Amino acid sequence: MPPSATTEPHSRAALPLAPSLDPALAAARMPRQFRPLSGRVAWIAALAMGLGALVALVARLLTALIGLVTNLAFHGRWSTAFGSPMGHHLGAWVILVPVAGGLVVGAMARWGSRAIRGHGIPEAMEQVLLNESRIPARMTWLKPLSSAIAIGTGGPFGAEGPIIATGGALGSLLGQCLRVTADERKTLLAAGAAAGMAAVFSAPISSVLLALELLLFERRARSLIPVALAAAVGTGVRYVLEGSAPMFPMPAMPTPGLLALAVYMAMGLVTGVASVGITKLTYAIEDAFETLPVHWMWWPALGGLVVGLVGYAMPSTLGVGYTNIAAVLGGQLGLGAMVALCLLKLLSWSVALGSGTSGGTLAPLFTIGGAFGGVMGAACVAWAPWLHVDAHAAALVCMAAIFAGASRAFLTSVVFAFETTQQPQGLLPLLAACAMAYLVSGLLMRHTIMTEKIARRGVRVPADHVVDHLERISVGEACSQPAVTLDASRRLAEVRAWLAAGGVQTHHQGFPVIGEDGRLLGVVTRRDLLGQAPGEAMLGSLVTRTPLVVREDHSLREAADHMVEADVGRLVVVGGEHAGQVVGMLTRGDLLAAHTGRLRGEREATRSLRTRRA
């Protein structure tokens, strides 16, 4: 240690320490430097593109299967045309069709896999968070088959839910068959899910955003690029098979004025409250099923009974309901029809989902939200034309806002509504309304419709995607300086005497050891120095492992990862005027102390808010 670095008075028996030389660090272990991309990303991206094409074809097969079951169950004909149960001639017997579908799904869940129950995304989230994105292989056929039966027999769900779940399962299976890391497997899972959604709705950008907001829990180039390419390929295959027309065509929207924009924001707020109520209602119904004195295998059939009764009263509530969304956005339904569709679809869907059948949430929420907004828009047009609210726009913004509030997939909701309608004038009111719904949901509800189920099982789901605080701080800013280095040729008795003398230098728990040639040999701890070794032993004999070093310009995240991988509690910091100069030590305590600034800012913000309220 340089004389300038010591403040020991001459009356203290200060031990002469090794000078800060430029030691050879050939044997030292450095942390891995962060790289935004590597050659592996190109390989994963290629796999994701192939997966995207496969999932798009699977999506086409699944919609054909849903069409086949629908035509057989309601129309008695052999056809794979993707149609609606409406127009059937079953009369009151239609009530029993969803019951029969529920019986089959319940049996598949009991003797196949319970994981087919529900809408799929929470289960995928759970596998990402707890099981390194490993979805059982049987889910690649059990989930789509059970969903096709549930939807084809009148279940009030969209085809996108099971396709997203199936795409994710295929991506996970591919990752399990190849030699990839857990993060790469997660990327493939998200790529398959995004490709599935893109293939159904022709909405590649919102599909990528859905994967980012609900599955990846990160936004890094290594995951974003493969997911984006998978969604692009999935959409391209859909263009070839079904064309590029918007999923939900609607009349051109006018540019909203300031007053109309304020109304759309208010609608987003009201819809956000409604989304909270719908989420709580759904899980309250699920809790009610838990209290029934019958095995859960029979619950989908009981839920199917409600679906059948509602479908008998209003046939348009049966099945996927994409035509309902198009009718609401296109202004083809009157006020009474939209009120009935909103309430009865909510009843049918919430009971069916709460019963544990195999279904989804996107299309039902879009139908309910669109009808809800259509009612408010029609009321504004009829009773307050001076607001200049467009009824079609009101339906569109509430369709997106209800999903933003229920799932908090904010960006997904905004972009999805734009992509599926191709209405650029709708982006501004969509942004405002979805932001309001997101705000209300965050204030009134801790968990979302996607996370409540797994949160009840003790799974912690990240709510925000934030920059790693440790990534923003360099080692040089946080390490303890100056370094207290020891000469390897010193006898242990001398070092112990120096420690016993005390002083500002001796509070350290670890000391770099420098050899005669200036080489950094390693680190000894206070425990090593005060252990059982004889006093005549040379200090260098206590060094037993390769030195672990970190440069001043490394980030604290890189240093922390280096500590974890090496299972140590401190690192030697090198830098200064020479690349190998020992300048300090970095400990676990330094890593914790680095959070002080962040926590201080949060405390000051909270204190300021409380002062204003007082």
Side-chain angles (χ1 to χ4, degrees):
M1 177 176 174
S4 60
T6 178
T7 58
E8 291 290 325
H10 292 291
S11 59
R12 293 287 184 94
L15 182 71
L17 302 178
S20 290
L21 304 173
D22 186 10
L25 296 175
R29 290 172 55 188
M30 285 274 189
R32 290 177 294 183
Q33 193 87 36
F34 169 75
R35 295 176 60 191
L37 289 175
S38 67
R40 291 282 299 179
V41 176
W43 167 237
I44 299 299
L47 293 175
M49 287 190 285
L51 178 65
L54 174 62
V55 172
L57 295 175
V58 171
R60 183 63 180 269
L61 292 175
L62 181 55
T63 54
L65 182 58
I66 293 173
L68 177 61
V69 176
T70 301
N71 283 298
L72 287 174
F74 290 96
H75 306 295
R77 60 176 180 243
W78 185 274
S79 173
T80 58
F82 192 61
S84 167
M86 294 180 64
H88 65 81
H89 301 286
L90 298 176
W93 290 105
V94 73
I95 298 172
L96 299 181
V97 176
V99 175
L103 288 172
V104 175
V105 171
M108 292 180 67
R110 181 171 185 179
W111 288 292
S113 173
R114 289 191 64 169
I116 67 171
R117 306 172 71 217
H119 44 97
I121 293 180
E123 289 73 22
M125 295 169 74
E126 186 173 22
Q127 297 304 313
V128 167
L129 293 169
L130 298 183
N131 197 30
E132 296 186 338
S133 305
R134 298 179 187 274
I135 297 177
R138 61 182 180 276
M139 291 300 296
T140 58
W141 63 271
L142 274 175
K143 183 63 177 180
L145 181 59
S146 63
S147 298
I149 293 172
I151 298 171
T153 55
F157 310 109
E160 73 289 334
I163 292 174
I164 291 173
T166 303
L170 285 171
S172 174
L173 179 62
L174 178 62
Q176 293 175 66
C177 294
L178 301 175
R179 295 176 63 87
V180 299
T181 66
D183 279 338
E184 290 169 341
R185 192 181 307 113
K186 178 179 68 173
T187 299
L188 290 173
L189 185 155
M197 181 174 174
V200 174
F201 289 120
S202 189
I205 301 176
S206 55
S207 300
V208 174
L209 292 173
L210 180 79
L212 290 174
E213 293 185 302
L214 296 183
L215 292 174
L216 287 171
F217 307 110
E218 65 178 18
R219 195 212 64 79
R220 291 195 281 186
R222 69 179 190 183
S223 54
L224 178 61
I225 291 173
V227 171
L229 291 172
V233 171
T235 305
V237 173
R238 176 191 164 83
Y239 284 174
V240 172
L241 298 177
E242 302 183 39
S244 58
M247 184 72 178
F248 306 125
M250 61 180 291
M253 287 176 53
T255 302
L258 189 60
L259 192 57
L261 182 62
V263 175
Y264 295 138
M265 291 178 65
M267 289 182 177
L269 187 150
V270 174
T271 305
V273 175
S275 70
V276 173
I278 289 172
T279 301
K280 294 184 180 297
L281 172 65
T282 302
Y283 283 100
I285 293 174
E286 184 174 307
D287 292 339
F289 271 98
E290 294 281 353
T291 65
L292 293 178
V294 295
H295 193 277
W296 57 260
M297 166 187 163
W298 305 104
W299 296 352
L302 296 176
L305 180 61
V306 176
V307 172
L309 290 169
V310 173
Y312 178 63
M314 189 173 190
S316 60
T317 61
L318 297 170
V320 294
Y322 294 154
T323 55
N324 293 331
I325 300 174
V328 168
L329 296 179
Q332 300 165 12
L333 298 181
L335 184 61
M338 286 191 291
V339 171
L341 178 63
C342 178
L343 296 178
L344 293 180
K345 186 74 173 183
L346 173 59
L347 173 63
S348 177
W349 166 73
S350 59
V351 172
L353 192 65
S355 71
T357 193
S358 183
T361 59
L362 276 74
L365 283 175
F366 294 147
T367 302
I368 296 165
F372 184 57
V375 170
M376 290 193 289
C380 288
V381 170
W383 300 331
W386 49 273
L387 292 173
H388 302 293
V389 169
D390 183 78
H392 309 291
L396 180 65
V397 298
C398 291
M399 179 189 85
I402 203 162
F403 188 70
S407 70
R408 299 200 193 126
F410 166 60
L411 295 176
T412 301
S413 303
V414 174
V415 178
F416 175 85
F418 164 68
E419 286 187 301
T420 54
T421 59
Q422 297 181 13
Q423 294 291 326
Q425 298 299 334
L427 280 172
L428 181 58
L430 282 168
L431 185 68
C434 289
M436 291 299 293
Y438 192 0
L439 173 64
V440 171
S441 172
L443 292 174
L444 299 182
M445 186 169 60
R446 182 177 180 183
H447 302 295
T448 72
I449 199 167
M450 301 296 182
T451 63
E452 176 69 27
K453 179 182 295 186
I454 58 177
R456 291 181 176 187
R457 296 200 285 261
V459 180
R460 293 187 60 86
V461 182
D464 298 304
H465 300 175
V466 296
V467 175
D468 186 350
H469 184 69
L470 296 182
E471 188 65 48
R472 299 162 54 186
I473 302 176
S474 69
V475 168
E477 297 177 69
C479 68
S480 301
Q481 298 188 43
V484 180
T485 59
L486 301 177
D487 194 323
S489 62
R490 293 291 173 181
R491 297 187 182 278
L492 191 53
E494 295 180 72
V495 180
R496 286 172 176 169
W498 171 70
L499 289 174
V504 296
Q505 297 169 332
T506 56
H507 70 280
H508 294 285
Q509 299 299 313
F511 305 92
V513 178
I514 306 297
E516 293 181 357
D517 57 354
R519 181 186 298 273
L520 174 65
L521 301 181
V523 175
V524 293
T525 66
R526 183 180 291 267
R527 178 179 296 179
D528 297 330
L529 297 174
L530 300 179
Q532 301 298 320
E536 295 302 314
M538 295 297 182
L539 188 61
S541 66
L542 299 183
V543 178
T544 58
R545 62 188 303 173
T546 302
L548 298 163
V549 301
V550 63
R551 291 197 309 271
E552 287 183 294
D553 60 348
H554 276 112
S555 71
L556 288 186
R557 168 51 53 207
E558 292 167 329
D561 290 347
H562 196 34
M563 285 184 183
V564 172
E565 291 174 352
D567 191 24
V568 298
R570 56 190 58 83
L571 299 172
V572 180
V573 181
V574 297
E577 298 179 359
H578 305 286
Q581 182 179 353
V582 178
V583 298
M585 291 289 291
L586 183 74
T587 67
R588 292 193 184 104
D590 295 327
L591 295 177
L592 293 176
H595 289 280
T596 302
R598 176 180 61 84
L599 296 175
R600 184 188 301 116
E602 292 178 358
R603 284 195 297 266
E604 289 175 354
T606 302
R607 192 180 302 115
S608 175
L609 180 60
R610 289 174 178 170
T611 302
R612 290 198 203 100
R613 288 176 177 175

